[in-house]
Amino acid sequence: MTKHLLAAGLLVATLASVKTYAQQPQQQQPQQDREGFFKKIDTDGDGKLSKTEVDVASKDNKRLAKLKDNFDAIDTNKDTFIDKDELKAYRKSQGPRKKEDGSK
């Protein structure tokens, strides 16, 4: 009898945990990914990306070639750095991103 109660209690606790986890907002993950993306490139930790930082990062990551190629367009205040707000505005102006393999 005790084993059955213990098993039932564990089952209820597991189901409650899964339900709570599933209800967490999904918007937090992309924002965290973007923060990590920016911090990874911002090697000197000054909160902005220099052309040198972007050039070095794009050598190891083909996806960053677009950032490198559009650096001057993204740097709207022309201070030779890209800050988080400029990058966010640029991404917003580009509309929804499509997957690289062409599927939606």
Side-chain angles (χ1 to χ4, degrees):
M1 179 77 172
T2 304
K3 289 181 183 179
H4 292 293
L5 287 174
L6 181 60
L10 287 172
L11 179 62
V12 168
T14 301
L15 293 174
S17 299
V18 169
K19 183 177 179 182
T20 302
Y21 178 77
Q23 290 179 352
Q24 291 184 2
Q26 297 298 318
Q27 293 287 33
Q28 291 178 354
Q29 188 64 29
Q31 183 63 32
Q32 290 170 349
D33 289 346
R34 289 185 189 126
E35 282 292 318
F37 164 82
F38 197 92
K39 286 181 180 180
K40 188 175 183 179
I41 299 170
D42 181 20
T43 55
D44 63 4
D46 64 355
K48 50 191 176 181
L49 306 178
S50 68
K51 275 193 174 190
T52 303
E53 289 171 323
V54 172
D55 287 345
V56 169
S58 67
K59 288 179 184 176
D60 296 331
N61 187 331
K62 300 278 186 207
R63 293 178 64 199
L64 292 176
K66 185 174 181 181
L67 182 64
K68 179 181 175 181
D69 293 343
N70 295 300
F71 190 95
D72 293 329
I74 299 168
D75 179 23
T76 55
N77 66 3
K78 305 302 177 201
D79 66 350
T80 70
F81 295 97
I82 296 174
D83 62 33
K84 291 177 184 177
D85 291 334
E86 288 172 322
L87 187 57
K88 184 177 178 181
Y90 177 76
R91 284 182 170 158
K92 190 174 182 178
S93 75
Q94 298 301 299
R97 289 189 281 172
K98 295 178 183 174
K99 292 187 178 186
E100 289 184 27
D101 64 358
S103 64
K104 292 183 180 181

